[in-house]
Amino acid sequence: MNILERIRGGGDRAAATERPPPQPEFWVEISESVSRLCSFDAAGRGGGRISVKVIQDSRPVHDKVVDSFLNKFFPSGYPYSVNEGYLTYTKFRALQHFSSAMLHVLSTQILKDGMQHAGKLICSSMGARMDSEPKSWRILADVLYDFGTALEFVSPLCPQLFLEVAGLGNFAKGMAVVAARATRLPIYSSFAKEGNLSDLFAKGEAISTLFNVMGIGAGIGLASTVCSTTQGKLIAGPLLSAVHIYGVVQEMRATPVNTLNPQRTAMIVADFVKSGKVSSPAELRYREDLLFPNRLIEEAGSVKIGQPLRRVLSPGLVEQVRATFPNEKFLLNQKSSKTYMVLEQSASGEDALRGWLVAAFASEMERSGMGSRDAALNEAYEKMERVFPTFVSEVKSRGWYTDQFLDGNGSRIAFAKFQ
């Protein structure tokens, strides 16, 4: 075969291998009275492109509006993409922002931001406490905000103290802003279910913006009618504030925070000691004490945590207590009806659960009259060792995050090691 023939043969083969460009594929998807024409273009950019077009939608107008609202203000895949309680949280969040925006319209911002910035700086040092109790601090933030607004209401009524009263109002609002922003992420995180935290955050802020705008409109209407006088503002202000605080309290009660702090840890242990079952974050949320989160729970051993070691133990007893549980990252000391627990610096949520279980079992044994306090403590530790693998496995399976223990600004200890 000469060169010409080879060229001809190669050309024939090249022509034979040529294919016409693939044509787009079409299909129709029908779901809930909506027909969608879908097409897949394999020749499109990036290796293919899918386009969807609605060709028939026989749903009532009401359903279309609801679907459009859900798409804009709720995370993709709702309700299956979020944890239980998100709808309740969202409803009261909307109520909170609506009433807050109305209050803002009725108040007059007179002073510069100096006092507000001072409040922000002071509140910023309390971030660890907000991590531990985000729901309580979120409620406190709204109480402070309404308190600041109330001071703005009354500041024109006391001209001799106008600067001091209005400045204190801005100071309270500054603290409220920091507390509200700092607690936003842990609250949103408690609802994230499928790695969709950013989607949750974006849709939650969209709902806040929508109802803020609606509240501003309603507030303008009130300001020009019922609340056109100071007396009218003083009547409407407390009513709106009550609605505002009610909304945020219900919003926080619906939030299933899954991190371990002193109160939630004590409740988990108390439930386990009483019934042998572990409650989930959704089951505990309405039982949390949001006003007094540091209350002691007797069934969990009345454990008080975060106290400085010097207040819990005298120096001569430290080594003796350490020798009781040499391989643990907690120290326990019982005084009267309380059990004081001090954690080491590297202690995790599991270490806190171990210490709490020992305290709860020991307290239960003492109440039943089983020997001395030291004997009950040793027996309680042995019982904890037997049940802990099953217990902690159930805790994790119920949705609790055990890698960290959030005790706020509680004191921890670190023992130096000498060679």
Side-chain angles (χ1 to χ4, degrees):
M1 181 182 295
N2 56 31
I3 295 176
L4 184 59
E5 290 175 338
R6 291 183 180 180
I7 293 174
R8 289 174 178 171
D12 294 341
R13 285 195 297 273
T17 57
E18 289 183 358
R19 295 280 193 279
Q23 298 298 315
E25 298 182 8
F26 297 90
W27 68 92
V28 175
E29 291 183 355
I30 302 175
S31 175
E32 297 181 353
S33 304
V34 182
S35 300
R36 297 177 176 88
L37 178 62
C38 307
S39 64
F40 175 70
D41 187 0
R45 294 181 181 180
R49 182 172 62 90
I50 294 180
S51 61
V52 180
K53 180 181 180 182
V54 177
I55 57 177
Q56 183 180 358
D57 190 346
S58 58
R59 294 177 299 170
V61 175
H62 169 75
D63 292 345
K64 295 179 183 179
V65 172
V66 171
D67 187 58
S68 177
F69 181 85
L70 291 176
N71 288 335
K72 287 181 175 62
F73 295 103
F74 282 74
S76 299
Y78 175 85
Y80 307 105
S81 60
V82 296
N83 281 320
E84 183 181 348
Y86 183 73
L87 179 60
T88 303
Y89 167 84
T90 302
K91 288 190 296 185
F92 285 107
R93 181 175 175 81
L95 176 65
Q96 168 214 339
H97 281 278
F98 183 80
S99 55
S100 175
M102 292 180 67
L103 277 172
H104 181 72
V105 171
L106 297 181
S107 67
T108 304
Q109 187 71 29
I110 299 173
L111 294 183
K112 297 293 183 181
D113 294 333
M115 289 298 292
Q116 193 172 91
H117 289 317
K120 290 180 179 179
L121 288 174
I122 291 177
C123 197
S124 63
S125 63
M126 305 175 184
R129 299 180 184 179
M130 297 178 196
D131 278 332
S132 177
E133 290 288 351
K135 298 200 284 187
S136 296
W137 277 91
R138 186 64 182 86
I139 294 173
L140 178 61
D142 285 84
V143 172
L144 286 172
Y145 187 88
D146 287 1
F147 176 69
T149 303
L151 291 179
E152 288 183 347
F153 281 162
V154 301
S155 58
L157 303 180
C158 43
Q160 298 85 358
L161 299 174
F162 175 80
L163 187 63
E164 291 82 354
V165 173
L168 182 59
N170 276 270
F171 181 81
K173 281 189 170 183
M175 295 187 67
V177 168
V178 171
R181 291 176 179 174
T183 55
R184 193 175 300 168
L185 186 59
I187 289 170
Y188 276 130
S189 298
S190 66
F191 290 107
K193 193 174 182 180
E194 299 175 353
N196 58 344
L197 179 58
S198 296
D199 191 21
L200 268 168
F201 192 92
K203 299 301 172 57
E205 294 307 296
I207 287 180
S208 301
T209 302
L210 172 65
F211 281 90
N212 270 326
V213 171
M214 294 173 61
I216 288 173
I220 292 173
L222 275 180
S224 61
T225 54
V226 178
C227 300
S228 58
T229 63
T230 302
Q231 291 80 1
K233 291 180 181 179
L234 292 176
I235 294 173
L239 295 177
L240 287 173
S241 181
V243 173
H244 180 211
I245 299 303
Y246 172 76
V248 75
V249 169
Q250 295 303 318
E251 178 186 338
M252 292 302 103
R253 292 187 69 209
T255 304
V257 177
N258 67 342
T259 52
L260 295 178
N261 69 353
Q263 181 180 191
R264 288 188 287 274
T265 302
M267 294 173 71
I268 292 170
V269 170
D271 288 350
F272 180 76
V273 171
K274 288 188 293 184
S275 64
K277 298 180 181 179
V278 175
S279 300
S280 68
E283 293 167 344
L284 281 189
R285 57 186 169 155
Y286 286 108
R287 293 163 47 198
E288 287 187 69
D289 191 336
L290 301 182
L291 295 180
F292 304 101
N294 295 322
R295 65 186 176 90
L296 302 182
I297 299 178
E298 184 179 359
E299 293 82 356
S302 299
V303 174
K304 190 172 183 62
I305 196 167
Q307 297 294 307
L309 183 62
R310 64 182 180 275
R311 297 182 184 175
V312 176
L313 289 169
S314 61
L317 291 177
V318 173
E319 288 302 321
Q320 178 182 341
V321 173
R322 287 186 68 190
T324 307
F325 311 124
N327 299 320
E328 299 294 344
K329 295 183 179 180
F330 61 82
L331 300 178
L332 292 178
N333 187 40
Q334 293 177 311
K335 289 184 178 181
S336 63
S337 60
K338 299 178 183 177
T339 301
Y340 291 87
M341 180 162 61
V342 181
L343 294 174
E344 289 191 16
Q345 190 65 39
S346 61
S348 66
E350 291 190 21
D351 295 310
L353 287 169
R354 291 173 69 89
W356 235 288
L357 272 178
V358 173
F361 287 148
S363 177
E364 184 183 41
M365 292 173 184
E366 282 190 42
R367 289 196 299 269
S368 61
M370 293 180 59
S372 64
R373 176 172 295 181
D374 290 340
L377 205 58
N378 290 326
E379 180 69 23
Y381 183 78
E382 294 177 2
K383 184 176 180 180
M384 182 275 294
E385 287 279 53
R386 292 194 301 269
V387 305
F388 190 76
T390 303
F391 170 67
V392 75
S393 177
E394 182 67 13
V395 168
K396 292 178 179 179
S397 68
R398 298 289 280 167
W400 294 102
Y401 181 73
T402 62
D403 289 351
Q404 290 181 319
F405 181 75
L406 303 176
D407 49 355
N409 287 330
S411 298
R412 293 200 180 193
I413 54 174
F415 293 104
K417 296 182 179 180
F418 299 97
Q419 299 292 336

